[in-house]
């Protein structure tokens, strides 16, 4: 295993075991639940907006290391971003984990780039994207529980 791959694996495991921003946000403006029926991962996001910018974002739930790490890293990365910026970041993240990343630079995604390896394991894509689909449902005020199916 290469040193870089080990670093990525340790970052995912660290966020999976000790997720950041893991709490209920009592005065949240948006609350959205997401569910992956294939594996049982379930996440709830709490978002506080200030003039269409994410002021605070937290989550709770349970899931595999990939889904928890993705949610943890996502919440860290999106604070201070506008809804429009988040939509663009979502598209780039989704592209990174679902399409060939050869010759593409995803360094602008910061630590989220550690999830690039999910592309090699198609069964794990829904684990990595559950948090993102749930977040997009919250920003679009979708009244339904978000499902990856």
């Amino acid at each position: 295993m290469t040193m870089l791959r080990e670093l990525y694996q340790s970052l995912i495991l660290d966020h999976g075991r000790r997720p950041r921003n893991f709490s209920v946000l009592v005065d949240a403006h948006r609350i959205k639940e997401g569910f992956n029926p294939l594996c049982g991962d379930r996440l709830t996001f709490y978002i506080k907006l200030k003039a269409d910018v994410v002021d605070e974002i937290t989550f709770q739930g349970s899931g595999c290391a990939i889904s928890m790490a993705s949610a943890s890293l996502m919440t860290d990365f999106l604070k201070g971003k506008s809804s429009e910026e988040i939509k663009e970041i979502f598209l780039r993240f989704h592209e990174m984990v679902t399409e060939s990343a050869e010759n593409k630079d995803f360094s602008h995604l910061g630590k989220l780039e550690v999830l690039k390896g999910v592309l090699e394991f198609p069964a794990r894509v829904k684990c990595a994207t559950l948090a993102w689909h749930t977040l997009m449902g919250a920003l679009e005020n979708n009244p339904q529980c978000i499902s990856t199916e």
Side-chain angles (χ1 to χ4, degrees):
M1 184 180 289
T2 68
M3 209 162 136
L4 186 59
R5 193 175 184 118
E6 288 176 15
L7 173 65
Y8 287 170
Q9 187 174 24
S10 68
L11 185 61
I12 288 171
L13 290 175
D14 180 40
H15 276 265
R17 290 180 182 146
R18 291 178 300 208
R20 282 49 161 194
N21 308 303
F22 192 78
S23 65
V24 172
L25 186 58
V26 176
D27 55 349
H29 299 128
R30 308 269 173 92
I31 299 172
K32 179 60 57 193
E33 183 178 12
F35 180 58
N36 182 347
L38 288 179
C39 63
D41 291 358
R42 185 176 296 271
L43 301 172
T44 302
F45 284 87
Y46 304 88
I47 304 165
K48 189 172 181 182
L49 298 168
K50 200 179 270 184
D52 199 43
V53 172
V54 173
D55 187 42
E56 292 182 60
I57 179 169
T58 65
F59 75 102
Q60 290 226 302
S62 61
C64 67
I66 297 292
S67 68
M68 297 299 283
S70 182
S72 177
L73 290 162
M74 182 189 83
T75 56
D76 267 352
F77 191 73
L78 297 183
K79 288 180 188 170
K81 304 279 192 299
S82 71
S83 294
E84 286 304 312
E85 290 173 308
I86 291 171
K87 288 175 187 171
E88 181 61 34
I89 293 166
F90 166 76
L91 293 174
R92 297 291 293 157
F93 181 83
H94 198 268
E95 177 186 13
M96 180 179 76
V97 298
T98 60
E99 298 175 20
S100 173
E102 198 170 307
N103 299 323
K104 292 185 180 177
D105 179 18
F106 294 103
S107 61
H108 60 286
L109 293 176
K111 290 181 180 178
L112 291 166
E113 194 176 5
V114 301
L115 293 161
K116 185 168 45 179
V118 169
L119 178 67
E120 298 172 29
F121 306 96
R124 305 308 300 268
V125 169
K126 290 181 180 179
C127 303
T129 59
L130 174 63
W132 292 87
H133 287 294
T134 307
L135 172 69
M136 296 311 292
L139 293 176
E140 295 166 357
N141 262 336
N142 182 336
Q144 299 178 342
C145 175
I146 303 301
S147 172
T148 55
E149 290 304 308

